[in-house]
Amino acid sequence: QKEVEQNSGPLSVPEGAIASLNCTYSDRGSQSFFWYRQYSGKSPELIMSIYSNGDKEDGRFTAQLNKASQYVSLLIRDSQPSDSATYLCAARVSGGYNKLIFGAGTRLAVHP
Amino acid sequence: GAVVSQHPSRVICKSGTSVKIECRSLDFQATTMFWYRQFPKQSLMLMATSNEGSKATYEQGVEKDKFLINHASLTLSTLTVTSAHPEDSSFYICSATSGVNSPLHFGNGTRLTVT
């Protein structure tokens, strides 16, 4: 059974701090990884995609991938109350499929 | 870019009726579309994978005769909930991708309430 694991949270951080969200995956053949943000009652929106080991930065967001450890993380710098949402980690299933396996999500709360 | 349009955004129907939900990729060709269901405070649950011109692949436990999926073109997939019951009330979300190395882009979801 291919799985993606996330801590459900809530992760509470003060405004302006760095929020660190973590995710592990079981499918060693996965090559593509994604972070989505989902506000309550809304559909997920793509924040970052990462395919290679190392860091990838986009504005206040940095995704990190370590394929040897099967670990993906998302750092949010200068966290804002508007970042409060559930963050979903996803890994593309290996074997020629387009399917993504989603984690259950980590709820982030940024307090003023 | 990469916009997925889904409608209706909200629908209320009576038990026993059928409801059709449309999902369109507006600015890219979607080789694969996915249909998810999400109950309150739970994660996304993949219902089925749909490739243009072929039959949908349903996840275990999802009734293919109840949730009819049609992927008639590279930009349109539909989900029909047949003979809906109150337990089918949920948030249904479609997503689309243009290829194996591309992310999934989600529609805005359809909140279905069956009375």
Side-chain angles (χ1 to χ4, degrees):
Chain A
Q1 180 77 355
K2 297 174 180 177
E3 294 180 338
V4 173
E5 300 282 345
Q6 292 181 258
N7 187 321
S8 62
L11 173 65
S12 183
V13 300
E15 184 174 356
I18 296 175
S20 177
L21 304 161
N22 306 310
C23 161
T24 58
Y25 59 94
S26 64
D27 183 358
R28 190 167 280 281
S30 289
Q31 299 295 321
S32 307
F33 305 89
F34 308 91
W35 282 99
Y36 289 84
R37 176 174 62 197
Q38 186 176 25
Y39 292 111
S40 181
K42 304 293 185 183
S43 67
E45 57 179 318
L46 179 68
I47 296 177
M48 295 279 288
S49 57
I50 187 165
Y51 308 99
S52 306
N53 279 330
D55 295 0
K56 179 181 178 183
E57 187 174 318
D58 184 0
R60 295 187 296 113
F61 300 99
T62 299
Q64 299 173 317
L65 173 61
N66 183 325
K67 291 183 181 179
S69 301
Q70 295 175 242
Y71 176 88
V72 192
S73 67
L74 179 71
L75 299 177
I76 306 175
R77 288 181 299 282
D78 188 23
S79 296
Q80 302 296 309
S82 58
D83 294 327
S84 299
T86 296
Y87 288 80
L88 304 171
C89 173
R92 177 155 268 138
V93 172
S94 62
Y97 304 101
N98 278 331
K99 190 161 66 172
L100 297 191
I101 300 294
F102 282 87
T106 297
R107 190 156 59 89
L108 172 67
V110 181
H111 54 87
Chain B
V3 177
V4 176
S5 172
Q6 182 177 344
H7 69 90
S9 58
R10 191 178 293 269
V11 58
I12 300 172
C13 70
K14 292 187 176 179
S15 189
T17 60
S18 295
V19 174
K20 180 186 279 190
I21 302 170
E22 284 194 355
C23 179
R24 294 179 184 272
S25 57
L26 297 185
D27 52 1
F28 67 100
Q29 292 190 325
T31 55
T32 310
M33 288 185 169
F34 303 89
W35 288 93
Y36 291 86
R37 181 166 57 180
Q38 188 174 37
F39 292 106
K41 299 193 186 302
Q42 294 188 24
S43 188
L44 298 168
M45 188 195 83
L46 180 64
M47 300 175 67
T49 302
S50 166
N51 290 297
E52 183 262 340
S54 59
K55 288 184 179 179
T57 302
Y58 290 82
E59 295 298 303
Q60 194 171 8
V62 178
E63 301 174 59
K64 62 180 181 181
D65 294 329
K66 181 169 184 62
F67 299 100
L68 301 179
I69 292 172
N70 184 285
H71 193 158
S73 74
L74 283 171
T75 60
L76 174 64
S77 177
T78 60
L79 167 68
T80 301
V81 182
T82 63
S83 187
H85 290 284
E87 58 264 31
D88 297 325
S89 299
S90 188
F91 190 44
Y92 292 85
I93 316 172
C94 75
S95 66
T97 182
S98 58
V100 292
N101 289 323
S102 301
L104 260 56
H105 298 282
F106 286 86
N108 287 332
T110 297
R111 190 160 303 283
L112 170 63
T113 303
V114 184
T115 61

PDB file of all heavy atoms in Angstrom, chain B residues 4 7 10 17 58 63 65 74 102 110:
ATOM      1  N   VAL B   4      -8.800  24.895 -14.166  1.00  0.00           N
ATOM      2  CA  VAL B   4      -9.805  23.832 -14.246  1.00  0.00           C
ATOM      3  C   VAL B   4     -11.121  24.399 -13.745  1.00  0.00           C
ATOM      4  O   VAL B   4     -11.184  24.924 -12.635  1.00  0.00           O
ATOM      5  CB  VAL B   4      -9.391  22.608 -13.418  1.00  0.00           C
ATOM      6  CG1 VAL B   4     -10.494  21.551 -13.433  1.00  0.00           C
ATOM      7  CG2 VAL B   4      -8.091  22.021 -13.953  1.00  0.00           C
ATOM      8  N   HIS B   7     -18.379  22.790 -12.487  1.00  0.00           N
ATOM      9  CA  HIS B   7     -19.701  23.297 -12.098  1.00  0.00           C
ATOM     10  C   HIS B   7     -20.754  22.207 -12.154  1.00  0.00           C
ATOM     11  O   HIS B   7     -20.564  21.205 -12.867  1.00  0.00           O
ATOM     12  CB  HIS B   7     -20.111  24.503 -12.952  1.00  0.00           C
ATOM     13  CG  HIS B   7     -20.407  24.179 -14.377  1.00  0.00           C
ATOM     14  ND1 HIS B   7     -21.664  23.821 -14.819  1.00  0.00           N
ATOM     15  CD2 HIS B   7     -19.604  24.142 -15.459  1.00  0.00           C
ATOM     16  CE1 HIS B   7     -21.622  23.602 -16.113  1.00  0.00           C
ATOM     17  NE2 HIS B   7     -20.381  23.802 -16.530  1.00  0.00           N
ATOM     18  N   ARG B  10     -22.472  24.231  -6.353  1.00  0.00           N
ATOM     19  CA  ARG B  10     -23.326  23.762  -5.260  1.00  0.00           C
ATOM     20  C   ARG B  10     -24.609  23.216  -5.859  1.00  0.00           C
ATOM     21  O   ARG B  10     -25.165  23.804  -6.785  1.00  0.00           O
ATOM     22  CB  ARG B  10     -23.650  24.935  -4.325  1.00  0.00           C
ATOM     23  CG  ARG B  10     -24.295  24.582  -3.028  1.00  0.00           C
ATOM     24  CD  ARG B  10     -24.493  25.847  -2.200  1.00  0.00           C
ATOM     25  NE  ARG B  10     -23.207  26.413  -1.785  1.00  0.00           N
ATOM     26  CZ  ARG B  10     -22.587  26.122  -0.653  1.00  0.00           C
ATOM     27  NH1 ARG B  10     -23.120  25.269   0.188  1.00  0.00           N
ATOM     28  NH2 ARG B  10     -21.442  26.688  -0.355  1.00  0.00           N
ATOM     29  N   THR B  17     -32.751  11.064  -7.270  1.00  0.00           N
ATOM     30  CA  THR B  17     -32.471  11.750  -8.536  1.00  0.00           C
ATOM     31  C   THR B  17     -30.996  11.623  -8.876  1.00  0.00           C
ATOM     32  O   THR B  17     -30.181  11.171  -8.066  1.00  0.00           O
ATOM     33  CB  THR B  17     -32.865  13.229  -8.463  1.00  0.00           C
ATOM     34  OG1 THR B  17     -32.109  13.860  -7.425  1.00  0.00           O
ATOM     35  CG2 THR B  17     -34.354  13.375  -8.160  1.00  0.00           C
ATOM     36  N   TYR B  58     -11.827   2.830 -11.409  1.00  0.00           N
ATOM     37  CA  TYR B  58     -12.394   3.177 -10.111  1.00  0.00           C
ATOM     38  C   TYR B  58     -11.543   2.611  -8.985  1.00  0.00           C
ATOM     39  O   TYR B  58     -10.992   1.515  -9.086  1.00  0.00           O
ATOM     40  CB  TYR B  58     -13.821   2.640 -10.003  1.00  0.00           C
ATOM     41  CG  TYR B  58     -14.790   3.371 -10.909  1.00  0.00           C
ATOM     42  CD1 TYR B  58     -14.894   3.038 -12.256  1.00  0.00           C
ATOM     43  CD2 TYR B  58     -15.592   4.391 -10.421  1.00  0.00           C
ATOM     44  CE1 TYR B  58     -15.764   3.721 -13.098  1.00  0.00           C
ATOM     45  CE2 TYR B  58     -16.479   5.075 -11.242  1.00  0.00           C
ATOM     46  CZ  TYR B  58     -16.550   4.731 -12.587  1.00  0.00           C
ATOM     47  OH  TYR B  58     -17.415   5.404 -13.415  1.00  0.00           O
ATOM     48  N   GLU B  63     -18.512   2.478  -6.299  1.00  0.00           N
ATOM     49  CA  GLU B  63     -19.421   1.789  -7.210  1.00  0.00           C
ATOM     50  C   GLU B  63     -19.435   2.468  -8.571  1.00  0.00           C
ATOM     51  O   GLU B  63     -19.918   3.596  -8.716  1.00  0.00           O
ATOM     52  CB  GLU B  63     -20.833   1.798  -6.629  1.00  0.00           C
ATOM     53  CG  GLU B  63     -20.964   1.138  -5.271  1.00  0.00           C
ATOM     54  CD  GLU B  63     -22.364   1.334  -4.725  1.00  0.00           C
ATOM     55  OE1 GLU B  63     -23.318   0.895  -5.408  1.00  0.00           O
ATOM     56  OE2 GLU B  63     -22.523   1.935  -3.657  1.00  0.00           O
ATOM     57  N   ASP B  65     -21.269   1.821 -11.114  1.00  0.00           N
ATOM     58  CA  ASP B  65     -22.609   2.019 -11.664  1.00  0.00           C
ATOM     59  C   ASP B  65     -23.334   3.175 -10.993  1.00  0.00           C
ATOM     60  O   ASP B  65     -24.339   3.658 -11.505  1.00  0.00           O
ATOM     61  CB  ASP B  65     -23.432   0.734 -11.503  1.00  0.00           C
ATOM     62  CG  ASP B  65     -22.883  -0.390 -12.347  1.00  0.00           C
ATOM     63  OD1 ASP B  65     -22.315  -0.089 -13.420  1.00  0.00           O
ATOM     64  OD2 ASP B  65     -22.997  -1.559 -11.939  1.00  0.00           O
ATOM     65  N   LEU B  74     -10.353  15.819 -24.463  1.00  0.00           N
ATOM     66  CA  LEU B  74      -9.175  16.156 -23.669  1.00  0.00           C
ATOM     67  C   LEU B  74      -9.411  17.351 -22.751  1.00  0.00           C
ATOM     68  O   LEU B  74      -8.511  17.741 -22.010  1.00  0.00           O
ATOM     69  CB  LEU B  74      -7.981  16.437 -24.582  1.00  0.00           C
ATOM     70  CG  LEU B  74      -7.314  15.195 -25.165  1.00  0.00           C
ATOM     71  CD1 LEU B  74      -6.297  15.578 -26.220  1.00  0.00           C
ATOM     72  CD2 LEU B  74      -6.633  14.379 -24.071  1.00  0.00           C
ATOM     73  N   SER B 102       3.565  16.550 -14.749  1.00  0.00           N
ATOM     74  CA  SER B 102       2.861  17.792 -14.457  1.00  0.00           C
ATOM     75  C   SER B 102       2.018  17.639 -13.207  1.00  0.00           C
ATOM     76  O   SER B 102       1.523  16.554 -12.910  1.00  0.00           O
ATOM     77  CB  SER B 102       1.965  18.170 -15.640  1.00  0.00           C
ATOM     78  OG  SER B 102       2.730  18.330 -16.812  1.00  0.00           O
ATOM     79  N   THR B 110     -17.601  20.807  -6.043  1.00  0.00           N
ATOM     80  CA  THR B 110     -19.069  20.842  -6.062  1.00  0.00           C
ATOM     81  C   THR B 110     -19.570  20.297  -4.734  1.00  0.00           C
ATOM     82  O   THR B 110     -19.247  19.159  -4.369  1.00  0.00           O
ATOM     83  CB  THR B 110     -19.633  19.969  -7.200  1.00  0.00           C
ATOM     84  OG1 THR B 110     -19.206  20.488  -8.457  1.00  0.00           O
ATOM     85  CG2 THR B 110     -21.163  19.933  -7.147  1.00  0.00           C
TER      86      THR B 110
END
